[in-house]
Amino acid sequence: MLKLFTLLVAAGIASPALANDTMAEVKTGGLIFAQSDDVSMVQEDLFISAAEVRVDYVFENTSDKDVESLVAFPMPDISGQVDNNSAIADYDSDNFLHFSTVQDGKPITAKLQQRVVSLGIDVTDELAKNNIPVLPYSDKTRDALAKLPQTIRKDWIARGLIYPMAEADLVPLWTLRSTYWWRTTFPAKKKVSVEHRYQPAVGGTVAISFLENGQPKGERFEEYSRKYCLDADFIRVAQQRAAEAGTNGANYTESWISYVLSTGANWAGPIRRFQLTIDKGKPGSLISFCGSNVEKIGPTTFRMTAEDFDPAKDFDILILNPPEAEPKTP
């Protein structure tokens, strides 16, 4: 059974309040492997921070024959919308999370499959026929849409592919689904190491959003309590900081990180040894998440370990960031 874990640290230095803005986090997980009863996961070391996710696996083929497998890394869906609140930063790159992977110390060149869906219908070929890039928020996509013939423009608006903000500004409404994939071999009676790295799409908002007039109440507080396992100490310190700032915590920011732990559990049996390391970034930040057997291993880092781990639940992290210190005047 999961136990609650939160960390509380001393207050930071106040600074002017930030603009009211929210960015939705994008859930991303690990690699997905084709089902195999012969390949087990010996070890998984997972590192999560707002800047980077690193996952190191060790697999073992316990059979007396080589096992060929398909490996995939599904990128998060990117859905176009009129008001863009996605946490994706690099909208002009197909590899918008800067994903990379290595097997037994050698870089893997993965293939990229991209499909475009609108209202449940695959329209990938239709976009390609009209020379429209697939990334919804790319400047190149906006420029290409502006050149669409009127007949296609009207048809796509009627079908919900695009939305006319203005005559020359058409907003994509389709969803892009991207997956990196490659084939690999697990040699008989041997272990194989696989590592991958990417930049997470971190969501967040300004202020301490789970407090209403300094009090922990309302639907958002209830949601946070379930999702991040807020406890009495975490809430107390958050209230204290909001009161000290005198702005109901408006000069604080929240960061949300989500990781899909349950993705790809297709190996034989549970993970023999699982280790999760989380870096909250700043010593003055507060962090809350649901976990067990957690210990502090550094000023900003925490570690959770488990044996025979079955990843049946996804993982969500809340980081409450103090305001930046104002620069000193000479």
Side-chain angles (χ1 to χ4, degrees):
M1 181 176 180
L2 291 179
K3 298 179 180 179
L4 168 68
F5 174 75
T6 57
L7 178 80
L8 309 174
V9 197
I13 302 174
S15 67
L18 302 175
N20 186 14
D21 195 13
T22 298
M23 299 291 284
E25 82 274 28
V26 177
K27 285 193 174 185
T28 312
L31 303 181
I32 297 177
F33 295 81
Q35 181 70 46
S36 175
D37 294 330
D38 296 322
V39 179
S40 60
M41 186 181 291
V42 177
Q43 181 174 320
E44 178 180 354
D45 288 341
L46 171 61
F47 172 89
I48 301 177
S49 73
E52 183 182 35
V53 172
R54 304 193 303 263
V55 194
D56 298 340
Y57 306 93
V58 176
F59 294 93
E60 183 176 15
N61 178 3
T62 57
S63 72
D64 57 2
K65 60 182 183 299
D66 293 351
V67 174
E68 294 186 0
S69 178
L70 185 71
V71 183
F73 176 75
M75 304 279 276
D77 287 354
I78 304 299
S79 297
Q81 50 191 314
V82 175
D83 296 321
N84 173 23
N85 70 340
S86 172
I88 299 295
D90 191 355
Y91 291 117
D92 288 306
S93 171
D94 287 331
N95 189 6
F96 46 83
L97 296 183
H98 303 288
F99 168 79
S100 64
T101 188
V102 172
Q103 180 169 323
D104 289 333
K106 297 180 180 179
I108 295 293
T109 301
K111 297 180 181 179
L112 175 62
Q113 180 191 73
Q114 292 184 307
R115 306 303 298 177
V116 179
V117 177
S118 177
L119 300 177
I121 300 173
D122 192 314
V123 294
T124 309
D125 295 340
E126 194 165 354
L127 263 65
K129 179 181 177 181
N130 290 278
N131 299 313
I132 304 298
V134 296
L135 289 162
Y137 297 115
S138 170
D139 290 337
K140 294 178 181 178
T141 302
R142 292 290 185 93
D143 293 342
L145 287 174
K147 301 174 183 178
L148 276 177
Q150 283 295 330
T151 53
I152 297 176
R153 178 193 303 252
K154 291 180 180 180
D155 177 55
W156 286 15
I157 292 174
R159 293 163 53 194
L161 270 74
I162 54 178
Y163 181 85
M165 292 290 290
E167 181 64 23
D169 187 10
L170 299 173
V171 179
L173 298 180
W174 62 74
T175 296
L176 173 64
R177 295 174 178 169
S178 305
T179 301
Y180 281 95
W181 65 276
W182 63 97
R183 296 185 183 279
T184 192
T185 300
F186 297 97
K189 301 295 185 181
K190 290 186 178 180
K191 295 179 180 180
V192 171
S193 66
V194 180
E195 309 166 12
H196 74 89
R197 310 282 187 269
Y198 62 87
Q199 296 177 4
V202 181
T205 188
V206 297
I208 304 175
S209 68
F210 55 88
L211 297 180
E212 293 185 6
N213 297 321
Q215 298 301 313
K217 60 182 181 180
E219 293 183 3
R220 197 173 188 89
F221 171 71
E222 296 298 331
E223 174 193 354
Y224 275 37
S225 296
R226 292 189 300 268
K227 188 174 183 179
Y228 304 113
C229 289
L230 306 186
D231 72 353
D233 287 338
F234 183 92
I235 297 166
R236 176 182 55 78
V237 174
Q239 288 181 283
Q240 179 183 351
R241 293 192 178 188
E244 290 173 350
T247 57
N248 198 35
N251 51 358
Y252 279 77
T253 59
E254 296 176 3
S255 294
W256 315 320
I257 308 174
S258 294
Y259 187 87
V260 185
L261 269 176
S262 56
T263 298
N266 288 340
W267 44 87
I271 304 170
R272 296 184 208 168
R273 180 180 179 276
F274 174 77
Q275 177 173 281
L276 168 65
T277 304
I278 299 176
D279 190 335
K280 65 176 181 173
K282 301 176 183 178
S285 296
L286 303 181
I287 186 170
S288 186
F289 57 89
C290 303
S292 60
N293 300 322
V294 180
E295 61 178 337
K296 184 177 181 181
I297 61 172
T300 63
T301 51
F302 312 89
R303 180 164 291 166
M304 181 180 88
T305 59
E307 304 289 335
D308 295 326
F309 181 66
D310 185 9
K313 187 178 180 181
D314 296 337
F315 194 73
D316 297 291
I317 302 168
L318 169 65
I319 302 175
L320 186 60
N321 307 295
E324 297 286 348
E326 295 183 20
K328 296 181 180 180
T329 55

